[in-house]
Amino acid sequence: MNDSSSAKIVTEVVVIGAGPAGLFQVFELGLLGIKAHVLDSLRQPGGQCTELYPDKPIYDIPALPICGAQELIDRLMQQIKPFGAHFHLGEEAIELKRQEDGRFRVVTGAGTQFDAGAVVIAAGVGSFQPRRLAVPQVEDFEGSQVHYRVKNASDFHGRKLVIFGGGDSALDWTLDLALKSAGLALVHRRAEFRAAPASVARMRELAAEGKLRIIEGQAQSLHRDADGLQGVHVKGANGELELLDAEHLLVFFGLSPKLGAIADWGLEIDRRAIKVDTEKFESNIPGVFAIGDINTYPGKKKLILSGFHEAALAAFAIQHHLYPAKKQFLQYTTTSPAMQKRLGVATA
């Protein structure tokens, strides 16, 4: 459900960020009978999974040997359906302020105002934009023939492609499209790659078999005519220019993350991440919690799996923060009538 209103919305919890960690936070809160409103600056739930690599396979989600990134988001959305979370998509949180009564005022760029008992920041890397291809007039083709994400891999089947980048995303799509394209060149500014060694090895095998080209160099300019983009001029390591024919350019230079307004909320920040404890995943501001890639603590690992764990512990801490007099005890979904009723699976 999407809501946007200038009237103040009173809620138990506001979750900032609708990526995997934020969505699972809704689930863990829902099991405890706590309602949440969810904000995200993107216009659809899913965070980086949906925005940057919806077709990318994920192999380390428990009990799912392989799961597409968008599939994971779809499953999480289905899982939280019983809890009736309200989504405010395309709205960036620009203000978070603790009130005298201990509750929080949260305001979005669209003017939506919240009065929340607790706030969970699950904003991933913060507000982000893909790093763009730095060549003249690239904006003329962005979204049509120059792409910073793959929405539908089949759009590139049978096409002449040039992929830029040397990390996991660039290599993943190189391996996926090398045998499905009409020709593919991978351009990276240096000979070493940052991707997983197995991906690099497979990429080099395909190059040796003549299935793709590897070029050490950088884009210098686009080659265009009246019909649109026809290719790209690349300056090689030897200093020479080469024209690569291409119908589409796929650019994976990573993200340019910005904390944005989060940096002004009085939170303790370390290297663009919110410092939290590992008992509650609470920040230095009581009642403000942070989970997923946006937080940091000793031993932090930026994995979706870690975000799920953090959401579970944060939910209990949030329950105690909201209702300190309420006795807490661990219940199991397999045996708890209360939890089964909340999930809509209660049996007579």
Side-chain angles (χ1 to χ4, degrees), residues 28 56 130 150 165 204 278:
E28 288 295 322
K56 183 176 180 178
V150 175
R204 295 196 186 283
T278 52

Side-chain angles (χ1 to χ4, degrees), residues 269-306:
I269 304 290
D270 180 23
R271 297 182 182 180
R272 295 188 294 188
I274 301 168
K275 294 182 71 173
V276 295
D277 66 73
T278 52
E279 178 189 2
K280 304 175 182 178
F281 294 94
E282 192 171 35
S283 71
N284 61 301
I285 301 176
V288 177
F289 303 78
I291 64 169
D293 288 356
I294 196 70
N295 77 13
T296 185
Y297 51 85
K300 169 70 179 185
K301 299 293 184 290
K302 291 191 176 185
L303 298 169
I304 294 175
L305 177 67
S306 300

Side-chain angles (χ1 to χ4, degrees), residues 209-232:
E209 295 169 5
K211 303 297 174 54
L212 63 90
R213 290 187 62 197
I214 306 170
I215 299 170
E216 184 181 350
Q218 298 187 66
Q220 294 296 297
S221 63
L222 302 178
H223 176 57
R224 61 187 297 173
D225 63 17
D227 295 325
L229 181 69
Q230 300 298 321
V232 59

